Amino acid sequence: MRFDILTLFPGMFAPLEESILKRAQQAGTISIGLHNIRDWATDRHRTADDAPYGGGAGMVMKAAPLAAAIRAVVEEAAPPVILLSPDGEPFTQALASELAQQPWLVLVCGHYEGLDERVRESLISREISIGDYVLTGGELAAMVVVDAVARLVPGVIDGESIAEESHSDGLLEYPHYTRPAVWEGRAVPAILTSGHHGEVAKWRRRERLRRTLVRRPDMLRRAREQGLLDKHDLAYLAELGW
Ligand SMILES: NC(=O)c1ccc(N[C@@H]2CC[C@@H](O)C2)nc1
């Protein structure tokens, strides 16, 4: 899977070179291209932003440099061109799964007060928000999207752990333990060292249900509506008083 990121601050993406995504890039499973929008600013001062028409505080990103950058990356193809923005559709695990089916994503990171509307209208195909808050730029949001999507690409991390993780199938995760068996007087639940794999799976499923009930009852209701809870789940939840 290919990601191309357009930004005024390519250096902000250095951490992706250190993360699990580094190995995936080396393995060729994913590729991340970084493009500095300012490289397409043609004037002597390489201006990528300007004062807003109508007055007001802050600066607006100019349409021409950004449009030239997008067109240079996209060329004749038509990959989704996604703007990270507080006005975008909410980014969720479901949306991450949807985007992970794409062979290529182009992510546009704005700065200042945002983009000139005319480049938004003509070249941005989708807007995504990682949450209802405003950041100084789209870069951190882009890193969140790249991380959450890339990890779903086959081969980036081991496929097993994706199956039962939080939000992937409507429930939160089960608790994790590793050595030592007792740590500061706290023992690992005996079932996990019993060797009964069927019982372990049942315990883990029940823990996911119980934790989702306690922490995110909204998710549990949605899981029920979506038919993600089987009769054993519902019987256990009834025992818990749900
Ligand atoms: N919640 C989010 O995903 C988000 C994304 C971008 C952002 N800020 C940039 C700066 C200018 C404009 O392009 C948008 N803030 C919040």
Side-chain angles (χ1 to χ4, degrees), residues 36-77:
N36 190 334
I37 297 165
R38 200 174 296 283
D39 292 346
W40 280 274
T42 50
D43 66 305
R44 191 156 49 91
H45 299 292
R46 287 167 41 99
T47 315
D49 62 294
D50 202 342
Y53 277 117
M59 301 290 271
V60 173
M61 286 183 74
K62 291 174 70 66
L66 178 52
I70 293 171
R71 287 167 177 147
V73 168
V74 164
E75 292 178 330
E76 302 315 311

Side-chain angles (χ1 to χ4, degrees), residues 184-195:
E184 293 189 352
R186 298 166 180 266
V188 170
I191 189 75
L192 297 180
T193 52
S194 69

